[in-house]
Amino acid sequence: MKAVEIMMEEHRNIRRMLVKMKKIANDMSLYQSEDMKDIVEFCHGYADEHHHMKEEKILFPEMLKCNYELFEGMINHVMLVEHDNGREHVRNMAALVNDYEEHKDERYLERLSFEMKAYCEVLKEHTEKEDECLYQFAENALSDNVKQRVDALSLEWESLNKERADHFVEVLHHIERAY
């Protein structure tokens, strides 16, 4: 499925950002205000609003229509829970960046380091589960008609969001060059 190929490429981009986030989280002396704001915006805008929303609005509903108990458990009790966990970490990171910028208190950086590491762990394991299990199940279990519909909807999503997705890939490239 073309949709799965695109989502797996997005996972590779997300994991590339996670590597840089973990590097910063392990040495907060690397903290740069504008870069950290860009990283948080990448996590929110690319990983969540672009990638996770595409899964939640296109792929997951089609998988759930199959009425496979395995899909229901994996999606409702694992994938969506992990999406929400990631969102919570991103909200916390955004708040801590703002708090640090306002107060310049190192305790905010310590908490930010923790949130970044936690987010990295959640997203690394999450993307691996999807790549190695969920997407493979979708490829094997969905009918050709459903796969075509998922591909068409995903390509439409990509077309409507291309400029924004390209912006976040540029943010990723900047962060990789900087760190």
Side-chain angles (χ1 to χ4, degrees), residues 113-129:
S113 172
F114 171 81
E115 289 293 339
M116 291 171 70
K117 290 174 184 177
Y119 178 80
C120 289
E121 289 303 311
V122 168
L123 265 284
K124 181 180 182 294
E125 290 178 11
H126 175 80
T127 59
E128 289 171 352
K129 279 183 233 172

PDB file of all heavy atoms in Angstrom, residues 113-129:
ATOM      1  N   SER A 113      13.989  17.887  30.042  1.00  0.00           N
ATOM      2  CA  SER A 113      14.821  16.738  29.681  1.00  0.00           C
ATOM      3  C   SER A 113      14.062  15.430  29.913  1.00  0.00           C
ATOM      4  O   SER A 113      14.047  14.541  29.051  1.00  0.00           O
ATOM      5  CB  SER A 113      16.117  16.752  30.501  1.00  0.00           C
ATOM      6  OG  SER A 113      16.846  15.564  30.291  1.00  0.00           O
ATOM      7  N   PHE A 114      13.415  15.334  31.056  1.00  0.00           N
ATOM      8  CA  PHE A 114      12.620  14.131  31.366  1.00  0.00           C
ATOM      9  C   PHE A 114      11.512  13.934  30.337  1.00  0.00           C
ATOM     10  O   PHE A 114      11.310  12.824  29.826  1.00  0.00           O
ATOM     11  CB  PHE A 114      12.025  14.235  32.768  1.00  0.00           C
ATOM     12  CG  PHE A 114      11.038  13.141  33.063  1.00  0.00           C
ATOM     13  CD1 PHE A 114      11.475  11.886  33.448  1.00  0.00           C
ATOM     14  CD2 PHE A 114       9.672  13.354  32.901  1.00  0.00           C
ATOM     15  CE1 PHE A 114      10.562  10.853  33.693  1.00  0.00           C
ATOM     16  CE2 PHE A 114       8.754  12.336  33.139  1.00  0.00           C
ATOM     17  CZ  PHE A 114       9.205  11.089  33.531  1.00  0.00           C
ATOM     18  N   GLU A 115      10.762  14.995  30.029  1.00  0.00           N
ATOM     19  CA  GLU A 115       9.655  14.885  29.070  1.00  0.00           C
ATOM     20  C   GLU A 115      10.154  14.493  27.680  1.00  0.00           C
ATOM     21  O   GLU A 115       9.529  13.697  26.983  1.00  0.00           O
ATOM     22  CB  GLU A 115       8.869  16.200  28.987  1.00  0.00           C
ATOM     23  CG  GLU A 115       8.052  16.509  30.205  1.00  0.00           C
ATOM     24  CD  GLU A 115       6.888  15.554  30.451  1.00  0.00           C
ATOM     25  OE1 GLU A 115       6.425  14.865  29.521  1.00  0.00           O
ATOM     26  OE2 GLU A 115       6.417  15.508  31.603  1.00  0.00           O
ATOM     27  N   MET A 116      11.276  15.067  27.280  1.00  0.00           N
ATOM     28  CA  MET A 116      11.838  14.739  25.967  1.00  0.00           C
ATOM     29  C   MET A 116      12.228  13.260  25.907  1.00  0.00           C
ATOM     30  O   MET A 116      11.935  12.577  24.920  1.00  0.00           O
ATOM     31  CB  MET A 116      13.051  15.623  25.673  1.00  0.00           C
ATOM     32  CG  MET A 116      12.701  17.084  25.437  1.00  0.00           C
ATOM     33  SD  MET A 116      14.157  18.147  25.363  1.00  0.00           S
ATOM     34  CE  MET A 116      14.873  17.635  23.797  1.00  0.00           C
ATOM     35  N   LYS A 117      12.888  12.775  26.931  1.00  0.00           N
ATOM     36  CA  LYS A 117      13.299  11.366  26.959  1.00  0.00           C
ATOM     37  C   LYS A 117      12.083  10.449  26.951  1.00  0.00           C
ATOM     38  O   LYS A 117      12.065   9.433  26.242  1.00  0.00           O
ATOM     39  CB  LYS A 117      14.176  11.084  28.173  1.00  0.00           C
ATOM     40  CG  LYS A 117      15.553  11.716  28.087  1.00  0.00           C
ATOM     41  CD  LYS A 117      16.326  11.516  29.385  1.00  0.00           C
ATOM     42  CE  LYS A 117      17.654  12.227  29.353  1.00  0.00           C
ATOM     43  NZ  LYS A 117      18.376  12.109  30.638  1.00  0.00           N
ATOM     44  N   ALA A 118      11.074  10.805  27.728  1.00  0.00           N
ATOM     45  CA  ALA A 118       9.858   9.989  27.781  1.00  0.00           C
ATOM     46  C   ALA A 118       9.167   9.971  26.420  1.00  0.00           C
ATOM     47  O   ALA A 118       8.738   8.911  25.945  1.00  0.00           O
ATOM     48  CB  ALA A 118       8.915  10.517  28.866  1.00  0.00           C
ATOM     49  N   TYR A 119       9.064  11.120  25.797  1.00  0.00           N
ATOM     50  CA  TYR A 119       8.455  11.208  24.459  1.00  0.00           C
ATOM     51  C   TYR A 119       9.243  10.347  23.474  1.00  0.00           C
ATOM     52  O   TYR A 119       8.645   9.599  22.681  1.00  0.00           O
ATOM     53  CB  TYR A 119       8.417  12.670  24.000  1.00  0.00           C
ATOM     54  CG  TYR A 119       7.845  12.858  22.625  1.00  0.00           C
ATOM     55  CD1 TYR A 119       6.469  12.866  22.415  1.00  0.00           C
ATOM     56  CD2 TYR A 119       8.671  13.037  21.522  1.00  0.00           C
ATOM     57  CE1 TYR A 119       5.933  13.042  21.147  1.00  0.00           C
ATOM     58  CE2 TYR A 119       8.151  13.222  20.257  1.00  0.00           C
ATOM     59  CZ  TYR A 119       6.782  13.225  20.068  1.00  0.00           C
ATOM     60  OH  TYR A 119       6.265  13.390  18.807  1.00  0.00           O
ATOM     61  N   CYS A 120      10.552  10.452  23.528  1.00  0.00           N
ATOM     62  CA  CYS A 120      11.389   9.664  22.617  1.00  0.00           C
ATOM     63  C   CYS A 120      11.136   8.169  22.785  1.00  0.00           C
ATOM     64  O   CYS A 120      11.031   7.436  21.787  1.00  0.00           O
ATOM     65  CB  CYS A 120      12.870   9.976  22.836  1.00  0.00           C
ATOM     66  SG  CYS A 120      13.365  11.610  22.261  1.00  0.00           S
ATOM     67  N   GLU A 121      11.034   7.718  24.009  1.00  0.00           N
ATOM     68  CA  GLU A 121      10.780   6.297  24.251  1.00  0.00           C
ATOM     69  C   GLU A 121       9.416   5.876  23.719  1.00  0.00           C
ATOM     70  O   GLU A 121       9.285   4.849  23.057  1.00  0.00           O
ATOM     71  CB  GLU A 121      10.905   5.977  25.745  1.00  0.00           C
ATOM     72  CG  GLU A 121      12.317   6.025  26.267  1.00  0.00           C
ATOM     73  CD  GLU A 121      13.262   5.090  25.524  1.00  0.00           C
ATOM     74  OE1 GLU A 121      12.930   3.900  25.339  1.00  0.00           O
ATOM     75  OE2 GLU A 121      14.348   5.564  25.123  1.00  0.00           O
ATOM     76  N   VAL A 122       8.397   6.671  24.022  1.00  0.00           N
ATOM     77  CA  VAL A 122       7.041   6.346  23.565  1.00  0.00           C
ATOM     78  C   VAL A 122       6.997   6.276  22.036  1.00  0.00           C
ATOM     79  O   VAL A 122       6.490   5.312  21.470  1.00  0.00           O
ATOM     80  CB  VAL A 122       6.009   7.373  24.090  1.00  0.00           C
ATOM     81  CG1 VAL A 122       4.659   7.216  23.402  1.00  0.00           C
ATOM     82  CG2 VAL A 122       5.844   7.244  25.598  1.00  0.00           C
ATOM     83  N   LEU A 123       7.526   7.300  21.376  1.00  0.00           N
ATOM     84  CA  LEU A 123       7.408   7.361  19.917  1.00  0.00           C
ATOM     85  C   LEU A 123       8.290   6.344  19.218  1.00  0.00           C
ATOM     86  O   LEU A 123       7.898   5.800  18.183  1.00  0.00           O
ATOM     87  CB  LEU A 123       7.705   8.775  19.402  1.00  0.00           C
ATOM     88  CG  LEU A 123       6.486   9.658  19.186  1.00  0.00           C
ATOM     89  CD1 LEU A 123       5.737   9.302  17.931  1.00  0.00           C
ATOM     90  CD2 LEU A 123       5.565   9.715  20.356  1.00  0.00           C
ATOM     91  N   LYS A 124       9.466   6.076  19.756  1.00  0.00           N
ATOM     92  CA  LYS A 124      10.339   5.069  19.136  1.00  0.00           C
ATOM     93  C   LYS A 124       9.652   3.710  19.164  1.00  0.00           C
ATOM     94  O   LYS A 124       9.544   3.040  18.129  1.00  0.00           O
ATOM     95  CB  LYS A 124      11.683   5.010  19.859  1.00  0.00           C
ATOM     96  CG  LYS A 124      12.643   4.001  19.251  1.00  0.00           C
ATOM     97  CD  LYS A 124      13.964   3.986  20.003  1.00  0.00           C
ATOM     98  CE  LYS A 124      14.955   3.034  19.411  1.00  0.00           C
ATOM     99  NZ  LYS A 124      14.572   1.629  19.502  1.00  0.00           N
ATOM    100  N   GLU A 125       9.176   3.301  20.331  1.00  0.00           N
ATOM    101  CA  GLU A 125       8.503   2.001  20.445  1.00  0.00           C
ATOM    102  C   GLU A 125       7.212   1.977  19.638  1.00  0.00           C
ATOM    103  O   GLU A 125       6.896   0.972  18.991  1.00  0.00           O
ATOM    104  CB  GLU A 125       8.212   1.696  21.921  1.00  0.00           C
ATOM    105  CG  GLU A 125       9.458   1.407  22.726  1.00  0.00           C
ATOM    106  CD  GLU A 125       9.162   1.154  24.194  1.00  0.00           C
ATOM    107  OE1 GLU A 125       7.973   0.991  24.565  1.00  0.00           O
ATOM    108  OE2 GLU A 125      10.128   1.109  24.974  1.00  0.00           O
ATOM    109  N   HIS A 126       6.491   3.081  19.658  1.00  0.00           N
ATOM    110  CA  HIS A 126       5.223   3.167  18.939  1.00  0.00           C
ATOM    111  C   HIS A 126       5.424   2.998  17.431  1.00  0.00           C
ATOM    112  O   HIS A 126       4.732   2.199  16.796  1.00  0.00           O
ATOM    113  CB  HIS A 126       4.558   4.516  19.244  1.00  0.00           C
ATOM    114  CG  HIS A 126       3.323   4.767  18.465  1.00  0.00           C
ATOM    115  ND1 HIS A 126       2.104   4.218  18.817  1.00  0.00           N
ATOM    116  CD2 HIS A 126       3.106   5.496  17.345  1.00  0.00           C
ATOM    117  CE1 HIS A 126       1.190   4.607  17.935  1.00  0.00           C
ATOM    118  NE2 HIS A 126       1.773   5.379  17.037  1.00  0.00           N
ATOM    119  N   THR A 127       6.370   3.728  16.872  1.00  0.00           N
ATOM    120  CA  THR A 127       6.584   3.647  15.421  1.00  0.00           C
ATOM    121  C   THR A 127       7.094   2.264  15.021  1.00  0.00           C
ATOM    122  O   THR A 127       6.737   1.764  13.949  1.00  0.00           O
ATOM    123  CB  THR A 127       7.545   4.747  14.926  1.00  0.00           C
ATOM    124  OG1 THR A 127       8.808   4.629  15.598  1.00  0.00           O
ATOM    125  CG2 THR A 127       6.961   6.140  15.138  1.00  0.00           C
ATOM    126  N   GLU A 128       7.881   1.651  15.872  1.00  0.00           N
ATOM    127  CA  GLU A 128       8.360   0.294  15.577  1.00  0.00           C
ATOM    128  C   GLU A 128       7.207  -0.704  15.574  1.00  0.00           C
ATOM    129  O   GLU A 128       7.141  -1.578  14.708  1.00  0.00           O
ATOM    130  CB  GLU A 128       9.441  -0.120  16.573  1.00  0.00           C
ATOM    131  CG  GLU A 128      10.745   0.626  16.358  1.00  0.00           C
ATOM    132  CD  GLU A 128      11.772   0.408  17.456  1.00  0.00           C
ATOM    133  OE1 GLU A 128      11.437  -0.216  18.505  1.00  0.00           O
ATOM    134  OE2 GLU A 128      12.910   0.880  17.283  1.00  0.00           O
ATOM    135  N   LYS A 129       6.280  -0.574  16.535  1.00  0.00           N
ATOM    136  CA  LYS A 129       5.111  -1.464  16.568  1.00  0.00           C
ATOM    137  C   LYS A 129       4.280  -1.324  15.302  1.00  0.00           C
ATOM    138  O   LYS A 129       3.808  -2.319  14.745  1.00  0.00           O
ATOM    139  CB  LYS A 129       4.218  -1.155  17.780  1.00  0.00           C
ATOM    140  CG  LYS A 129       4.670  -1.747  19.074  1.00  0.00           C
ATOM    141  CD  LYS A 129       3.671  -1.417  20.166  1.00  0.00           C
ATOM    142  CE  LYS A 129       4.423  -0.782  21.301  1.00  0.00           C
ATOM    143  NZ  LYS A 129       3.570  -0.249  22.335  1.00  0.00           N
TER     144      LYS A 129
END
